[in-house]
Amino acid sequence: MARSLVSVLDVVPTGLVEIAGRAGELLRSDRVLPTLTGLQFAGLFLEASTRTRLAFESAAKRLGAGFSLVEQKSSSISKGESFRDTLETIRATGFDAVIIRSPWSGLPLQLRSWSDLAIVNGGDGSREHPTQAIGDVILMASHFKRDLALRDAFDGLAVAIVGDVKHSRVARSLATLVDRLRGEVRLVGPPGMLADPRAFGPRVSATEDMASGVAGVDAVYMLRVQRERLAQGEWASLNSYQERYQLNRERLAESGGVQLVMHPGPVNRGVELTDEIFADHRFVAPRQVEVGAATRMAVLEWITERL
């Protein structure tokens, strides 16, 4: 069975250290060795994506591998072909791994059970987005000078994850990973957008109150309101959400010692964040993209055991 990455739990603890170390090397140097020459990756993207798709496509090509994009609308899936048969076609064509982006939770797990190909989860429904979370944890560890080789690497750090937690695959992966590193996680949002903190670990809590949720934390991780995943009636009032959970200059100042403001993108400008936050030196979303690109390169080397 090939090495796959469908959950952050697939890399804890040793894989995380290996991926973080390689990502750090790539970020420090413009020199990229063609470590994956001769390999072929299929990007099975069944959902819209900009950052994740470009990051994986660029990662494969910069490491000397091929990358072929398979989209639902332009593939035989649109004609009724099953995902299992599509996966078999990818395998028979000679590809070495599949990077899957899916609106359906659990599909990467199903693909892994069907094939000996390596499967990388590029985000599935509301379940997980492991490569995003791994990149974000690498950024946090670098900023706060924490050694990811330590089991308690994030001990003493507090991260507030704010917004539509219920529908966020990033929130689930990030909360799980930070908890595994012994960091504190506070889930903050409206009651209809929160998730049960017990699903993530003992150091995860939840609150509807923005002020107390972000008070004294080291990093604030703002989430996009995922309107496309909201059931009818869940999205009651945009104005109410902005009034209670939008991060603005005043809330950031009142929070205390926040050093990082993060967002996985895309940002709904004027909803989760005010424009003034984009100009704040603590807002690191562009850096998240850079670290994410290096992380995807390291992940491709890791699954193919080229690290």
Side-chain angles (χ1 to χ4, degrees), residues 35-41 64-67 94 96 300 304 306:
T35 55
L36 302 185
T37 297
L39 298 183
Q40 295 290 328
F41 295 91
F67 182 93
D96 300 284
L300 294 186
T304 54
R306 301 293 179 95

Side-chain angles (χ1 to χ4, degrees), residues 127-147:
R127 197 186 69 88
E128 276 217 49
H129 197 347
T131 60
Q132 177 72 48
I134 291 169
D136 291 333
V137 161
I138 290 171
L139 189 157
M140 290 182 195
S142 174
H143 180 86
F144 294 109
K145 296 180 172 52
R146 299 301 182 103
D147 184 357

